[in-house]
Amino acid sequence: MNYREAVSAWASAHSFDVSDRRALRHADPNSESAIFWQFALLAIAAADPPVRINDLVVLGTHNSYKLAMPTARMEALRAADANSADALHYAHRPLVEQLDAGARQLELDIWYDPRGGLYADGSTDPAMLQPGFKVQHMAEFDNRSNCLTLV
């Protein structure tokens, strides 16, 4: 229980209105409202500062599912645009291996395929012919994945 929960629980148990701060100025130091605020201030002072989202750092991977593009497709891309080929020439280990190695953030690009087969080009996996959510980088171009479907 953090300090806010503790203060709220005490206030609820004692039917104390925490919004009535004016009463504290004129309260007897032994009154319930004065005791409440003393307890609240002690709880706040003793509490650890809150962790903000921008204080967190986790190890993760971008396009976590991505496998290398087929050689023929990569060669054609390199002939047309060497910089794009260099940017897309990478692959990741399977998701479980990434998690076992310490990754705590995975990025998946999800593509909706309502009828099935929409993104099956170049894949022999029957799951790509079924309706559902597919995981791939660029439809019909960079679509090899170590996690073909979301579910």
Side-chain angles (χ1 to χ4, degrees):
M1 178 181 301
N2 65 33
Y3 74 89
R4 286 188 180 97
E5 291 167 337
V7 169
S8 293
W10 189 93
S12 294
H14 293 85
S15 302
F16 183 74
D17 179 8
V18 294
S19 65
D20 188 14
R21 294 189 176 122
R22 291 176 307 163
L24 181 59
R25 280 187 244 139
H26 306 293
D28 174 355
N30 296 318
S31 72
E32 205 163 275
S33 62
I35 293 170
F36 167 80
W37 286 109
Q38 290 168 7
F39 172 73
L41 291 172
L42 285 173
I44 291 168
D48 291 331
V51 176
R52 296 183 179 101
I53 191 73
N54 61 341
D55 293 332
L56 301 176
V57 177
V58 295
L59 179 63
T61 57
H62 178 73
N63 295 332
S64 308
Y65 52 85
K66 189 178 178 325
L67 295 176
M69 291 174 64
T71 304
R73 192 171 288 170
M74 181 53 73
E75 287 173 357
L77 175 60
R78 189 166 302 286
D81 184 351
N83 288 335
S84 291
D86 289 342
L88 293 172
H89 190 61
Y90 68 96
H92 287 293
R93 298 185 304 188
L95 299 178
V96 171
E97 287 184 27
Q98 292 178 54
L99 293 169
D100 287 345
R104 291 299 174 258
Q105 177 273 323
L106 300 173
E107 188 240 356
L108 304 176
D109 292 327
I110 310 300
W111 298 69
Y112 183 51
D113 183 1
R115 292 187 200 99
L118 184 59
Y119 306 114
D121 180 45
S123 176
T124 58
D125 192 308
M128 294 300 282
L129 298 173
Q130 300 300 315
F133 295 93
K134 308 305 189 308
V135 179
Q136 60 184 333
H137 190 222
M138 298 172 164
E140 298 181 14
F141 184 70
D142 187 9
N143 58 353
R144 294 193 64 224
S145 174
N146 60 36
C147 169
L148 289 173
T149 61
L150 183 60
V151 289

